[in-house]
Structure formats: structure tokens, C-alpha cells
Amino acid sequence: MKNIAVIGAGTMGNGIAHVFAQNGYKTNLIDISQDSLDKGLATIGKNLDRMVAKELITENDKKSTLEIITSYTNLADGVKKADLVIEAATENRALKLKIFKELDTICESGTILATNTSSISITQIAAATNRADKVIGMHFMNPVPIMQLVEVIRGYSTSDAVTKIIMDLSIDLGKTPTEVNDYPGFVANRILMPMINEAIETLYNKVAGVAEIDTVMKLGMAHPMGPLQLADFIGLDICLSILNVMYDGFKNPKYAPCPLLVNMVTAGKLGVKSGEGFYDYSQSRKAETVSKQFN
């Protein structure tokens, strides 16, 4: 594992590229949009600057990290010599299947294909390729440079050898890998998303307001961030997508997304990324909640 390709320059993709490059891996960052690549690289630079300011790394460390990241808008060029490709595109099943089908035709036969999906079946993604034994899930947590966990998800046909390579690689990145099996939501989101959804239901049923719900969970349950604020940071559209995947996969009504969540996503209130969710981020600070009527 020397050459890494990361598909998607968004929040997760640029974070994954950052971590690999900081640990000395030659990293290609790929996106169809040059603007997205520029923003992703700028984010990596800013995050490295924070680390320099905290004396976690040196200016030379920052420079060497940025020097081994190369950006591409052409998928074939970006993955040509990769030992490992990590897909971190939008959480959309059809898009991921399309990407993996294409990767299978253009990558070398020994290349391992990983996905950062937080809920979609690894087995289903692997079925779009002719190398199901070399397809695996690497679910990094946000923000990637800080969070220690990597959920390593085995598909039905993922080989023991590939699983060991990815587990060892995660450790080499300074992460703590945890192996889980391929069921909707895996472990992290199978537990987290119903909690977030229940917090939204609690708001929807006028049990308490946004700040009150988050305060109970922060002070009563020692959570560093309340579930509604966390949902804003994840992205309400992502939360809705994951809940839908679990609802479709298990056919269990407990995973059905709250109508308030559906309405907010439909209205474009997606959280931090849109400037407004359960909290208002338009002035880069928490202000009045969007859902005043539920207080």
C-alpha cells in the first residue's frame, strides 16, 4: 500500500486524503469538479495550519503532506496506479454502483476497492464488480483527521487477506479499526441514527425545544454534542438517506424517518452545509432555532 486514490473532495474525501498524505502515502484526490478539488485542498491546508498552530506538526510536515497530494478531474488518470481506491462520493446507492462498476474496468486486477459509505450494503456494491473479494468498507468518522474510529465492513465475499490489509493500514494511519459485518447502517449508524431520529420525534411531538433536548443529552448522558446539533453537522439530508437505507433494508417502522426531518430536507434546511438546520449558522454561530413553533 503506497499509492492511494480518494474519490470525492468533499468533507469526508478531503479528510481521508489529508490523513493518508500526512502519514506518507502518495495520495490522488479525484472529483469531477475542479472547484470542489480546490476547496478540498484549501480545507486540507487550513486543517494543517491548525495543527501547526497547536504544535502537533511542523511547517515542514505540512509542506511534505501537501506535496504528495495530486488532484485529478479524470477518474481513470487518478486511479491508474492505485493500490487502494477509497470512494467517498455522495451517499447515493446508484452513484456508488456506477463508480464501482467503472473502477472495476479501469483499475489493475490487484487494486483493493473501498467505500466510505455509512450505510449502503458492501455486498451490493461489490456485486457491481468482478472482484468482490477485494471490495470492503472503510467508514471513517467526521472530522477524519481527529476521530480515531474506522469501521471496517466486510462484504459477503470480502477475503480475509483484504480485511487484514485494511485493518493493518488503519492502524498505520493512527486509527482504531473495528471489524463489523454487512448489515444496513453497520454499527455506528444503526445505533446513532435511531437516536437522532427519536430526538427529532421528541421535538416534533412538542415534548421540548431544540436547545432543551440537546442540553438533556449533553449534560445528562455526557454526549459532547446534542443529537440535533450533531444532525446539523452530519447533514440532515445524509441522516435522511441513512434512515431510508435502514428502513428499506430492515422493513421495520422504527427506522422510518420523522416527518419533520423529511420536511426540513425538502425545504433545503440541511444543517451547517446550508447555513440552517435545527440551528441557524448564517452568522457562523448558533442563533435562533429554525423550529421555533415546536418550543
Side-chain angles (χ1 to χ4, degrees):
M1 294 288 114
K2 293 183 179 179
N3 299 309
I4 309 298
V6 180
I7 300 173
T11 301
M12 297 305 295
N14 71 60
I16 294 167
H18 172 161
V19 169
F20 272 101
Q22 190 179 330
N23 283 277
Y25 292 87
K26 187 177 182 303
T27 304
N28 292 346
L29 183 60
I30 306 161
D31 201 292
I32 59 173
S33 165
Q34 184 61 52
D35 183 57
S36 294
L37 285 169
D38 292 341
K39 289 178 180 177
L41 291 169
T43 297
I44 294 171
K46 290 175 184 177
N47 289 335
L48 289 168
D49 283 337
R50 290 192 190 98
M51 297 179 78
V52 171
K54 293 178 180 179
E55 298 184 345
L56 298 173
I57 62 172
T58 66
E59 279 288 349
N60 283 337
D61 292 331
K62 173 192 170 182
K63 182 181 178 182
S64 61
T65 296
L66 292 174
E67 283 177 346
I68 57 174
I69 302 175
T70 307
S71 64
Y72 291 87
T73 54
N74 182 282
L75 181 64
D77 290 342
V79 303
K80 188 181 299 181
K81 297 181 180 179
D83 301 307
L84 168 68
V85 179
I86 304 174
E87 171 272 318
T90 304
E91 191 73 351
N92 178 288
R93 180 187 286 108
L95 175 61
K96 290 184 186 296
L97 294 177
K98 179 178 180 294
I99 290 172
F100 273 78
K101 185 174 182 180
E102 187 172 357
L103 288 174
D104 190 48
T105 64
I106 59 180
C107 290
E108 296 181 0
S109 59
T111 302
I112 296 172
L113 306 181
T115 173
N116 184 57
T117 181
S118 55
S119 62
I120 299 169
S121 168
I122 307 303
T123 302
Q124 187 175 33
I125 291 172
T129 75
N130 292 306
R131 61 178 85 195
D133 61 317
K134 295 184 180 67
V135 177
I136 195 165
M138 286 187 81
H139 180 207
F140 289 84
M141 304 293 124
N142 185 31
V144 181
I146 296 172
M147 300 293 280
Q148 290 299 301
L149 177 66
V150 178
E151 236 183 346
V152 177
I153 307 106
R154 296 183 64 142
Y156 186 83
S157 301
T158 306
S159 72
D160 291 340
V162 165
T163 302
K164 186 178 188 308
I165 288 170
I166 298 303
M167 294 287 284
D168 291 345
L169 178 63
S170 300
I171 292 170
D172 191 54
L173 294 175
K175 303 299 186 184
T176 301
T178 301
E179 183 182 334
V180 305
N181 291 319
D182 186 21
Y183 291 95
F186 316 131
V187 171
N189 282 317
R190 184 168 179 172
I191 295 170
L192 175 63
M193 286 303 154
M195 183 193 73
I196 287 176
N197 198 43
E198 192 62 31
I200 300 171
E201 286 279 1
T202 302
L203 177 65
Y204 181 60
N205 291 322
K206 303 180 182 179
V207 177
V210 171
E212 289 75 14
I213 291 168
D214 278 354
T215 297
V216 167
M217 296 305 291
K218 286 190 289 184
L219 301 185
M221 313 304 168
H223 290 193
M225 185 182 292
L228 298 177
Q229 186 183 12
L230 178 57
D232 276 354
F233 275 81
I234 293 170
L236 302 192
D237 53 336
I238 301 299
C239 293
L240 178 59
S241 175
I242 294 169
L243 284 164
N244 280 331
V245 166
M246 293 197 295
Y247 183 55
D248 291 343
F250 292 116
K251 308 301 182 187
N252 189 323
K254 75 177 181 179
Y255 298 114
C258 176
L260 175 58
L261 175 61
V262 175
N263 283 344
M264 290 180 71
V265 172
T266 302
K269 310 300 183 184
L270 308 181
V272 174
K273 70 174 78 175
S274 69
E276 209 170 28
F278 292 105
Y279 295 91
D280 184 347
Y281 303 90
S282 57
Q283 302 301 321
S284 299
R285 62 181 178 81
K286 289 191 296 183
E288 295 295 321
T289 64
V290 172
S291 305
K292 290 178 183 176
Q293 67 270 32
F294 296 102
N295 290 338

